[in-house]
Amino acid sequence: MFELNVVSKKRHQLFGRRKGRNLSASMKLLIEQELPCRLVPVFESSVAIVEPSEWFPNKPSAVWLEIGFGGGEHLAWQAMKNPTVALVGCEPFLNGIASLLRHLSKIEGDRVRIYPDDARDMLDLLPDQCLERIFILHSDPWPKRRHHYRRIIQHKTIDQLYNLLKPGGVLRMSTDQPDYVIWILARITAHADFRWTGRSIDDFTQSRKDWPETRYEAKGRKEKRIPTYIEFCKPVEAN
Ligand SMILES: C[S@@+](CC[C@H](N)C(=O)[O-])C[C@H]1O[C@@H](n2cnc3c(N)ncnc32)[C@H](O)[C@@H]1O
């Protein structure tokens, strides 16, 4: 069985889970046969910076990143709707990775790479200005105050994501936890240069045509939790 720890030297402590219920035989096969060809190239400590557009056989028009893709429905939808774009997905949960691989079997072109581990380990190794879009949808809210340090959205992450975006690049986030909305907004508005793309409060409450509902969001909606959509961009004139 594929071992997840072959990918990188660990730099951060992962707080979420790596495994859920046992994988079905077909999911195991996907992990064994498909994941190795989809992996982000192995990062050795001697290889510091890797340009993600070079991970694909055909040069993509843009590279987008999704952190914590869950079952991969959103990532697969974006890959399907944007045939010239390449996507990199980070997700340590094996069952979610198997689910994404299943979705990818319906998508044309070799345009998706997977980092099956803590996204923060990969972010540390990417060069500045290599991404056009970053999605962090319904990241774990860690509701207990003593666990807030586990939230992926921190001042440091926001600074790092800003640097990774190209000028004009977009960071999309969502959550259905009101206190996490405040947390995220406090951190992104503290950044001197990130700009809100919205014009009215509707932009926080209404989804966009190119922003499909995720699995977690759909579950939350059934349980009467209301999502908030947060989109900020790096100004085109930024350097
Ligand atoms: C609440 S789920 C949301 C999944 C999906 N985005 C959705 O909306 O359906 C959060 C996901 O983030 C993943 N995750 C947590 N910490 C992560 C990290 N440091 N790097 C990458 N993924 C992470 C978890 O494994 C989980 O699948």
Side-chain angles (χ1 to χ4, degrees):
M1 186 67 175
F2 177 76
E3 283 298 326
L4 289 176
N5 59 9
V6 298
V7 175
S8 69
K9 287 193 165 41
K10 290 293 306 161
R11 292 168 196 85
H12 295 93
Q13 183 192 353
L14 181 72
F15 301 111
R17 57 187 183 152
R18 285 188 186 276
K19 282 187 184 164
R21 60 173 192 274
N22 286 342
L23 293 176
S24 66
S26 61
M27 293 293 228
K28 266 190 199 155
L29 208 62
L30 276 175
I31 294 281
E32 278 168 13
Q33 296 189 344
E34 297 295 322
L35 182 56
C37 345
R38 297 275 189 186
L39 283 176
V40 162
V42 174
F43 289 119
E44 301 294 347
S45 52
S46 56
V47 182
I49 306 280
V50 185
E51 170 57 52
S53 62
E54 290 171 15
W55 299 345
F56 304 92
N58 298 317
K59 196 163 173 60
S61 60
V63 181
W64 298 355
L65 168 70
E66 181 163 352
I67 296 177
F69 58 71
E73 293 81 8
H74 172 270
L75 193 154
W77 187 95
Q78 294 291 2
M80 181 93 81
K81 298 284 178 188
N82 299 282
T84 62
V85 169
L87 284 114
V88 180
C90 300
E91 175 56 66
F93 186 52
L94 196 60
N95 306 56
I97 297 168
S99 164
L100 173 64
L101 289 168
R102 200 177 44 192
H103 292 299
L104 293 185
S105 61
K106 296 172 215 131
I107 289 168
E108 281 187 28
D110 184 10
R111 296 181 291 115
V112 176
R113 289 291 175 273
I114 297 173
Y115 189 83
D117 211 322
D118 190 321
R120 295 167 300 171
D121 291 338
M122 190 188 81
L123 297 182
D124 288 346
L125 296 164
L126 293 178
D128 285 353
Q129 302 201 3
C130 64
L131 302 168
E132 271 84 357
R133 283 192 189 193
I134 302 173
F135 307 97
I136 311 183
L137 308 177
H138 297 277
S139 56
D140 293 320
W142 296 108
K144 290 182 183 149
R145 200 183 173 83
R146 70 173 189 279
H147 289 154
H148 284 181
Y149 75 96
R150 296 181 175 187
R151 291 174 165 175
I152 193 144
I153 305 297
Q154 305 286 346
H155 290 292
K156 176 180 181 276
T157 332
I158 294 288
D159 288 348
Q160 197 169 26
L161 297 176
Y162 182 85
N163 292 337
L164 291 177
L165 282 172
K166 292 191 176 176
V170 168
L171 170 60
R172 280 187 173 177
M173 295 171 285
S174 56
T175 180
D176 57 18
Q177 302 294 310
D179 90 295
Y180 198 27
V181 173
I182 293 165
W183 172 281
I184 294 172
L185 287 177
R187 275 140 196 85
I188 196 153
T189 55
H191 190 282
D193 300 312
F194 256 127
R195 283 197 198 142
W196 185 42
T197 60
R199 294 185 182 274
S200 75
I201 194 73
D202 281 355
D203 291 297
F204 284 119
T205 57
Q206 306 298 316
S207 182
R208 329 270 195 274
K209 276 198 187 113
D210 67 344
W211 192 333
E213 190 173 67
T214 68
R215 190 194 288 192
Y216 185 88
E217 185 176 326
K219 188 167 168 264
R221 228 181 251 286
K222 276 193 199 141
E223 293 164 9
K224 305 270 183 280
R225 294 197 302 271
I226 309 296
T228 297
Y229 306 97
I230 302 170
E231 184 177 271
F232 278 69
C233 72
K234 179 166 182 166
V236 268
E237 65 276 16
N239 45 48

